[in-house]
Amino acid sequence: MQDYASEKDFLAAYNVHDYEVPLTSVDMAIFKLREQQLEVLLVKRSQHPSRDKWALPGGFIDLKKDRVLEDTAHRKLVEKTGVKSPYLEQVATFGGKQRDPRGWSVTVVYFALVAHEEVDVDPKGAKEETRWVPVTEALRDYKLAFDHNEILRLCRERLTSKVQYTALPIHLLPEEFTLTELQKVFEVILGNEVEKKSFRRRILDADILEESGAMRTGSNRPAKLYRLKRGVENHFFPRTIEGPRS
Amino acid sequence: MQDYASEKDFLAAYNVHDYEVPLTSVDMAIFKLREQQLEVLLVKRSQHPSRDKWALPGGFIDLKKDRVLEDTAHRKLVEKTGVKSPYLEQVATFGGKQRDPRGWSVTVVYFALVAHEEVDVDPKGAKEETRWVPVTEALRDYKLAFDHNEILRLCRERLTSKVQYTALPIHLLPEEFTLTELQKVFEVILGNEVEKKSFRRRILDADILEESGAMRTGSNRPAKLYRLKRGVENHFFPRTIEGPRS
DNA sequence: TTAATAGTGTCTCTTAGACACTATCGA
DNA sequence: TCGATAGTGTCTAAGAGACACTATTAA
């Protein structure tokens, strides 16, 4: 390597393409809840490689438009779902020689939680065929492109484990919800029942919700509607939900 | 984009350098414990950009040698410390337009825990000046290259938070250690005292250690030496250490 | 014997699980 | 009044903190 006198000289002579670089992209698992099932958004690839295979939505960083990595994820999410302010979290980064036939590649993986009610079924950016699939089905029956099965499995795992000690599932519901609705979401993700009283104590004592004032009515006792308190992004409990003792 | 008939045709015509790609690297925070202080390894940059500034060790993926991302991290770690089997964990990935003057860049960050006793003070791969610095000092007094202050802060945070519900600090000790030594490590990282009985109960009940049979002797009652049970990589406790109630 | 550290017994405190109980709506 | 779901009272269980106690070594 040459020894440039100043950083300015160095940068003037610098060209990324002088080096062998991996292909770097962003992929994401977008989760929503529908009819008591956790679903993930899949996209049918319209281009090689793995054309016509189902894959997690993703794409390349737009070096002009995106200022930081999360912008890429956010841009993709809006393209696919129309949701503007989802819960977005970086999960992990996968990189290797074999995962993409084009060569050494790196993908930064995010997961997003969106409310079913807020998803635009036919957003502007939709150029490819998309489909919401129950996560268990996606993992069991689909051979996703690249290593996306493994990626999805990790995202699912991360979600399940965070549900045990955070209030994450709130982001799968619309702005206002009842405690029973929230409990159901926890139960769906955890895959087991949760004791009502413990659940309410836990959530209410955490002081992260406020009553909206309205009630959800039906042919029974109306339920209070709650919303996330302003400024509360997430909450960590000192203990995990343990589930039934039996 | 052209519409290739087969994936093979597509791949034959494909060239990474036809696209604008970010610069992708791996950086790491290597932690060890010395004289009751948590230290991190810093490297003085011998090349532009940020020449002569201190930075976290890191570098580019070797598309030939490295099969997966972790290989890059592991290779760097061995180069700098000579430690073969450290605790290595991916922390997060930083990417943005501004963080490197060469342009859009992505760095995958790992943290490693090594035992002070196993660090090679002058490993083969040492081409640059390196220095072990107490983490608090590195964060307070050093203006590290790029966004490495922020990266180091996040690694430190991840470490502190995992110490509250895992047995991570074991990896900062040599193979055999006493419970009191382990407790001290927890205390140093947490920044507060830990109650002896609770600590021992917690660790012993987790069933992750075994007695080595040997004892640590001194001018007092000898202490049992323990080692991590085979096959145990890490342990998650159902509750966090809470620290003094006072 | 004493200083020093290893290691234990046992009480309290916090928060989760269990489960029976009461409350409030529409039909 | 009844079916259904909302919401509570209160006991038990488990694991953390507090703290005093005993044990074992070298000097």
Side-chain angles (χ1 to χ4, degrees):
Chain A
M1 201 180 261
Q2 248 184 282
D3 199 14
Y4 295 94
S6 76
E7 181 159 324
K8 209 174 145 213
D9 293 343
F10 166 81
L11 288 172
Y14 184 84
N15 181 352
V16 180
H17 290 171
D18 292 345
Y19 303 92
E20 284 206 283
V21 293
L23 199 61
T24 302
S25 62
V26 170
D27 286 315
M28 48 195 323
I30 307 174
F31 294 117
K32 75 168 184 185
L33 209 74
R34 185 177 144 235
E35 286 170 10
Q36 310 277 58
Q37 283 216 292
L38 187 67
E39 296 187 336
V40 65
L41 185 68
L42 298 182
V43 173
K44 194 169 205 170
R45 291 184 55 83
S46 62
Q47 299 290 338
H48 287 299
S50 293
R51 188 160 73 172
D52 297 331
K53 270 200 180 175
W54 290 96
L56 296 174
F60 296 106
I61 297 163
D62 185 323
L63 303 199
K64 297 270 174 354
K65 282 193 220 157
D66 302 332
R67 298 187 58 80
V68 293
L69 260 181
E70 205 175 287
D71 291 346
T72 312
H74 195 265
R75 189 166 49 76
K76 287 288 158 193
L77 185 78
V78 173
E79 262 176 35
K80 302 296 179 200
T81 67
V83 177
K84 292 283 162 34
S85 55
Y87 178 81
L88 194 58
E89 171 178 329
Q90 195 185 283
V91 174
T93 298
F94 287 71
K97 198 182 275 194
Q98 306 288 349
R99 51 180 303 280
D100 187 312
R102 286 168 286 189
W104 233 105
S105 71
V106 169
T107 190
V108 185
V109 177
Y110 285 81
F111 81 68
L113 304 181
V114 300
H116 172 68
E117 292 77 1
E118 286 164 15
V119 172
D120 187 344
V121 283
D122 187 27
K124 290 250 176 13
K127 284 161 292 189
E128 293 163 308
E129 192 187 343
T130 63
R131 179 188 285 182
W132 288 96
V133 180
V135 175
T136 45
E137 200 179 303
L139 287 173
R140 185 171 21 94
D141 305 332
Y142 282 63
K143 293 238 182 310
L144 302 178
F146 312 113
D147 50 359
H148 286 193
N149 280 88
E150 194 191 335
I151 291 179
L152 177 56
R153 202 174 311 118
L154 185 74
C155 289
R156 213 249 117 101
E157 215 174 279
R158 172 73 65 93
L159 177 61
T160 317
S161 99
K162 287 199 91 166
V163 167
Q164 304 192 206
Y165 60 90
T166 72
L168 258 200
I170 289 176
H171 302 283
L172 287 165
L173 291 176
E175 203 194 328
E176 298 192 354
F177 49 86
T178 69
L179 287 184
T180 305
E181 285 162 5
L182 185 57
Q183 185 182 330
K184 284 277 173 293
V185 183
F186 274 79
E187 290 176 339
V188 166
I189 300 176
L190 288 171
N192 57 41
E193 299 206 334
V194 167
E195 212 287 322
K196 181 166 58 165
K197 186 63 199 286
S198 311
F199 180 77
R200 289 167 170 260
R201 219 178 13 211
R202 188 174 164 93
I203 298 289
L204 261 15
D205 288 358
D207 195 37
I208 54 176
L209 299 185
E210 58 187 14
E211 303 180 7
S212 82
M215 306 287 270
R216 170 94 71 232
T217 56
S219 70
N220 48 35
R221 176 171 173 177
K224 280 183 182 166
L225 284 167
Y226 290 86
R227 71 166 84 88
L228 197 58
K229 271 193 182 175
R230 268 187 63 82
V232 179
E233 243 293 279
N234 208 349
H235 180 80
F236 288 76
F237 296 97
R239 304 195 193 170
T240 54
I241 284 186
E242 291 167 28
R245 269 178 186 148
S246 58
Chain B
M1 201 179 265
Q2 247 183 283
D3 198 15
Y4 295 95
S6 77
E7 181 158 324
K8 210 175 143 212
D9 294 343
F10 165 81
L11 289 171
Y14 183 84
N15 180 351
V16 180
H17 288 171
D18 292 345
Y19 303 91
E20 285 206 282
V21 292
L23 198 62
T24 302
S25 61
V26 170
D27 286 314
M28 48 195 324
I30 307 172
F31 294 116
K32 75 167 186 186
L33 209 73
R34 186 178 143 236
E35 286 171 11
Q36 309 278 58
Q37 284 215 294
L38 186 67
E39 296 188 333
V40 64
L41 184 69
L42 298 181
V43 173
K44 193 170 203 167
R45 291 184 56 82
S46 63
Q47 298 290 340
H48 288 298
S50 294
R51 187 160 75 172
D52 297 332
K53 270 199 180 174
W54 290 95
L56 296 174
F60 296 107
I61 296 161
D62 185 321
L63 303 200
K64 298 270 176 350
K65 281 193 223 161
D66 303 332
R67 299 188 59 81
V68 293
L69 261 180
E70 204 174 288
D71 290 346
T72 313
H74 195 264
R75 188 166 50 76
K76 288 287 159 193
L77 185 77
V78 174
E79 262 177 34
K80 302 297 179 199
T81 67
V83 177
K84 290 284 162 34
S85 57
Y87 178 83
L88 194 58
E89 172 179 328
Q90 195 186 285
V91 175
T93 298
F94 288 71
K97 197 181 277 194
Q98 306 289 347
R99 52 180 301 281
D100 187 311
R102 287 168 286 188
W104 233 104
S105 71
V106 169
T107 190
V108 185
V109 177
Y110 284 81
F111 81 67
L113 304 181
V114 299
H116 172 67
E117 292 76 3
E118 286 164 16
V119 172
D120 187 343
V121 283
D122 187 29
K124 289 251 173 14
K127 285 162 294 190
E128 294 163 307
E129 190 185 346
T130 63
R131 177 188 287 181
W132 288 96
V133 180
V135 175
T136 45
E137 201 179 303
L139 286 172
R140 187 171 20 94
D141 304 332
Y142 283 64
K143 292 237 182 312
L144 302 179
F146 313 113
D147 50 1
H148 286 191
N149 280 87
E150 195 190 335
I151 291 178
L152 177 57
R153 203 174 310 119
L154 185 73
C155 289
R156 212 250 116 100
E157 216 173 280
R158 172 71 67 92
L159 176 62
T160 316
S161 98
K162 287 199 93 166
V163 167
Q164 303 190 214
Y165 58 91
T166 73
L168 260 199
I170 288 174
H171 302 282
L172 288 165
L173 291 176
E175 203 195 328
E176 298 192 353
F177 50 86
T178 69
L179 287 184
T180 306
E181 286 162 4
L182 185 57
Q183 184 182 331
K184 284 277 174 292
V185 183
F186 274 79
E187 291 176 336
V188 165
I189 299 175
L190 287 171
N192 56 41
E193 299 207 335
V194 167
E195 212 287 321
K196 181 167 57 166
K197 186 63 199 288
S198 311
F199 180 78
R200 288 165 170 260
R201 219 179 13 212
R202 186 174 164 96
I203 298 289
L204 260 15
D205 288 357
D207 194 37
I208 54 176
L209 299 186
E210 59 187 13
E211 301 179 10
S212 83
M215 304 288 269
R216 170 94 69 233
T217 55
S219 69
N220 48 35
R221 177 172 173 176
K224 280 184 181 164
L225 284 167
Y226 290 86
R227 71 167 85 90
L228 197 57
K229 273 194 180 173
R230 269 187 63 83
V232 178
E233 242 292 278
N234 208 350
H235 179 80
F236 288 76
F237 296 97
R239 306 197 192 169
T240 53
I241 285 188
E242 292 168 25
R245 270 180 184 145
S246 58

